[in-house]
Amino acid sequence: SIRTHIPAEGSDPVYEHRKDTKLFSHPLELRAAKIRNFMGLREEWELGDFVPLQYEYVVAQGTQFLVNMVEEKFDVKSNCIPGNLTSGRYQLDPEFEAWITKNADWEAEQLVGYQPRSTS
């Protein structure tokens, strides 16, 4: 089982190792590292361009904007039928949301368009 390969207790989870082989202290630290890595791919892989999309935006807007973007970028005409995703906004426990707001790396989050929610 995977549990035999991951040294973790219920109260001491291991998420992944950082480049310096130390452990990430919590999942949001791991997320920030993954965001920075992802955003560095354009230069590292010499990509012409890419667009990070927020899941919430695609749910709210549907996929037509994405189809339009691809058509324009590649000068092609789509033959697909854009769709709408359905997902209600989930409610976070206020204490958990406060923990996320406090512990998120907002410099990394802003690289993909997120910012802390206003508390007013």
Side-chain angles (χ1 to χ4, degrees):
S1 121
I2 186 88
R3 298 279 301 156
T4 61
H5 300 288
I6 299 176
E9 298 292 325
S11 62
D12 186 27
V14 174
Y15 303 109
E16 284 190 29
H17 289 94
R18 301 183 320 208
K19 288 183 180 182
D20 64 5
T21 71
K22 294 181 181 176
L23 300 176
F24 288 104
S25 60
H26 51 73
L28 293 179
E29 188 179 312
L30 170 61
R31 175 180 164 85
K34 288 181 175 279
I35 288 171
R36 287 190 173 92
N37 179 66
F38 174 73
M39 295 305 289
L41 293 179
R42 180 182 298 152
E43 290 80 27
E44 186 176 331
W45 291 358
E46 299 178 7
L47 299 174
D49 200 8
F50 72 85
V51 179
L53 295 174
Q54 294 178 349
Y55 170 78
E56 297 89 346
Y57 185 81
V58 177
V59 168
Q61 300 297 319
T63 59
Q64 181 66 57
F65 80 97
L66 184 57
V67 171
N68 294 347
M69 189 185 314
V70 171
E71 286 178 336
E72 184 177 319
K73 184 77 174 172
F74 294 101
D75 195 28
V76 295
K77 184 67 180 156
S78 163
N79 63 0
C80 70
I81 300 169
N84 292 318
L85 305 176
T86 56
S87 176
R89 184 175 180 107
Y90 46 87
Q91 295 297 315
L92 293 179
D93 175 274
E95 188 175 325
F96 182 56
E97 186 171 352
W99 182 87
I100 291 172
T101 301
K102 178 182 175 191
N103 289 285
D105 179 334
W106 291 107
E107 287 182 18
E109 295 294 335
Q110 288 174 354
L111 294 172
V112 290
Y114 288 102
Q115 55 190 358
R117 290 184 188 173
S118 70
T119 55
S120 55

